PDB file of all heavy atoms in Angstrom:
ATOM      1  N   LEU A 235      14.110   7.215 -11.990  1.00  0.00           N
ATOM      2  CA  LEU A 235      14.244   6.877 -10.574  1.00  0.00           C
ATOM      3  C   LEU A 235      14.999   5.559 -10.511  1.00  0.00           C
ATOM      4  O   LEU A 235      14.621   4.593 -11.174  1.00  0.00           O
ATOM      5  CB  LEU A 235      12.872   6.747  -9.914  1.00  0.00           C
ATOM      6  CG  LEU A 235      12.018   8.015  -9.929  1.00  0.00           C
ATOM      7  CD1 LEU A 235      10.559   7.683  -9.652  1.00  0.00           C
ATOM      8  CD2 LEU A 235      12.531   9.021  -8.903  1.00  0.00           C
ATOM      9  N   VAL A 236      16.060   5.526  -9.723  1.00  0.00           N
ATOM     10  CA  VAL A 236      16.890   4.336  -9.611  1.00  0.00           C
ATOM     11  C   VAL A 236      16.949   3.930  -8.151  1.00  0.00           C
ATOM     12  O   VAL A 236      17.237   4.751  -7.275  1.00  0.00           O
ATOM     13  CB  VAL A 236      18.319   4.601 -10.145  1.00  0.00           C
ATOM     14  CG1 VAL A 236      19.172   3.343 -10.037  1.00  0.00           C
ATOM     15  CG2 VAL A 236      18.263   5.079 -11.586  1.00  0.00           C
ATOM     16  N   ARG A 237      16.669   2.670  -7.875  1.00  0.00           N
ATOM     17  CA  ARG A 237      16.720   2.177  -6.506  1.00  0.00           C
ATOM     18  C   ARG A 237      16.988   0.678  -6.499  1.00  0.00           C
ATOM     19  O   ARG A 237      16.880   0.010  -7.536  1.00  0.00           O
ATOM     20  CB  ARG A 237      15.433   2.478  -5.740  1.00  0.00           C
ATOM     21  CG  ARG A 237      14.201   1.764  -6.255  1.00  0.00           C
ATOM     22  CD  ARG A 237      13.074   1.787  -5.244  1.00  0.00           C
ATOM     23  NE  ARG A 237      13.369   0.925  -4.103  1.00  0.00           N
ATOM     24  CZ  ARG A 237      12.679   0.924  -2.962  1.00  0.00           C
ATOM     25  NH1 ARG A 237      11.668   1.743  -2.813  1.00  0.00           N
ATOM     26  NH2 ARG A 237      12.995   0.104  -1.982  1.00  0.00           N
ATOM     27  N   ASN A 238      17.327   0.166  -5.310  1.00  0.00           N
ATOM     28  CA  ASN A 238      17.492  -1.274  -5.186  1.00  0.00           C
ATOM     29  C   ASN A 238      16.155  -1.921  -4.859  1.00  0.00           C
ATOM     30  O   ASN A 238      15.132  -1.245  -4.776  1.00  0.00           O
ATOM     31  CB  ASN A 238      18.557  -1.618  -4.139  1.00  0.00           C
ATOM     32  CG  ASN A 238      18.216  -1.071  -2.752  1.00  0.00           C
ATOM     33  OD1 ASN A 238      17.059  -0.733  -2.473  1.00  0.00           O
ATOM     34  ND2 ASN A 238      19.200  -0.977  -1.886  1.00  0.00           N
ATOM     35  N   ASN A 239      16.181  -3.225  -4.666  1.00  0.00           N
ATOM     36  CA  ASN A 239      14.922  -3.951  -4.465  1.00  0.00           C
ATOM     37  C   ASN A 239      14.593  -4.183  -3.001  1.00  0.00           C
ATOM     38  O   ASN A 239      13.773  -5.041  -2.670  1.00  0.00           O
ATOM     39  CB  ASN A 239      14.960  -5.296  -5.196  1.00  0.00           C
ATOM     40  CG  ASN A 239      16.147  -6.160  -4.760  1.00  0.00           C
ATOM     41  OD1 ASN A 239      16.918  -5.775  -3.887  1.00  0.00           O
ATOM     42  ND2 ASN A 239      16.284  -7.319  -5.375  1.00  0.00           N
ATOM     43  N   VAL A 240      15.218  -3.432  -2.104  1.00  0.00           N
ATOM     44  CA  VAL A 240      14.927  -3.562  -0.684  1.00  0.00           C
ATOM     45  C   VAL A 240      13.627  -2.813  -0.383  1.00  0.00           C
ATOM     46  O   VAL A 240      13.504  -1.625  -0.690  1.00  0.00           O
ATOM     47  CB  VAL A 240      16.073  -3.001   0.177  1.00  0.00           C
ATOM     48  CG1 VAL A 240      15.721  -3.073   1.658  1.00  0.00           C
ATOM     49  CG2 VAL A 240      17.364  -3.757  -0.110  1.00  0.00           C
ATOM     50  N   ALA A 241      12.672  -3.508   0.191  1.00  0.00           N
ATOM     51  CA  ALA A 241      11.380  -2.885   0.503  1.00  0.00           C
ATOM     52  C   ALA A 241      11.548  -1.818   1.569  1.00  0.00           C
ATOM     53  O   ALA A 241      12.375  -1.948   2.478  1.00  0.00           O
ATOM     54  CB  ALA A 241      10.381  -3.937   0.964  1.00  0.00           C
ATOM     55  N   GLY A 242      10.765  -0.760   1.440  1.00  0.00           N
ATOM     56  CA  GLY A 242      10.797   0.299   2.429  1.00  0.00           C
ATOM     57  C   GLY A 242      10.094  -0.121   3.702  1.00  0.00           C
ATOM     58  O   GLY A 242       9.540  -1.214   3.800  1.00  0.00           O
ATOM     59  N   PRO A 243      10.111   0.745   4.716  1.00  0.00           N
ATOM     60  CA  PRO A 243       9.440   0.400   5.971  1.00  0.00           C
ATOM     61  C   PRO A 243       7.939   0.299   5.789  1.00  0.00           C
ATOM     62  O   PRO A 243       7.358   0.901   4.885  1.00  0.00           O
ATOM     63  CB  PRO A 243       9.806   1.577   6.888  1.00  0.00           C
ATOM     64  CG  PRO A 243      10.080   2.714   5.956  1.00  0.00           C
ATOM     65  CD  PRO A 243      10.685   2.088   4.730  1.00  0.00           C
ATOM     66  N   GLY A 244       7.301  -0.497   6.643  1.00  0.00           N
ATOM     67  CA  GLY A 244       5.854  -0.663   6.580  1.00  0.00           C
ATOM     68  C   GLY A 244       5.482  -1.973   5.932  1.00  0.00           C
ATOM     69  O   GLY A 244       6.320  -2.776   5.537  1.00  0.00           O
ATOM     70  N   GLY A 245       4.184  -2.195   5.811  1.00  0.00           N
ATOM     71  CA  GLY A 245       3.697  -3.463   5.278  1.00  0.00           C
ATOM     72  C   GLY A 245       3.672  -4.526   6.360  1.00  0.00           C
ATOM     73  O   GLY A 245       4.204  -4.352   7.457  1.00  0.00           O
ATOM     74  N   MET A 246       3.049  -5.669   6.059  1.00  0.00           N
ATOM     75  CA  MET A 246       2.927  -6.737   7.034  1.00  0.00           C
ATOM     76  C   MET A 246       3.183  -8.069   6.351  1.00  0.00           C
ATOM     77  O   MET A 246       2.972  -8.218   5.149  1.00  0.00           O
ATOM     78  CB  MET A 246       1.529  -6.729   7.659  1.00  0.00           C
ATOM     79  CG  MET A 246       1.204  -5.476   8.438  1.00  0.00           C
ATOM     80  SD  MET A 246      -0.440  -5.576   9.148  1.00  0.00           S
ATOM     81  CE  MET A 246      -1.429  -5.704   7.687  1.00  0.00           C
TER      82      MET A 246
END
Side-chain angles (χ1 to χ4, degrees):
L235 299 163
V236 181
R237 66 164 289 168
N238 59 18
N239 56 2
V240 177
M246 297 181 298

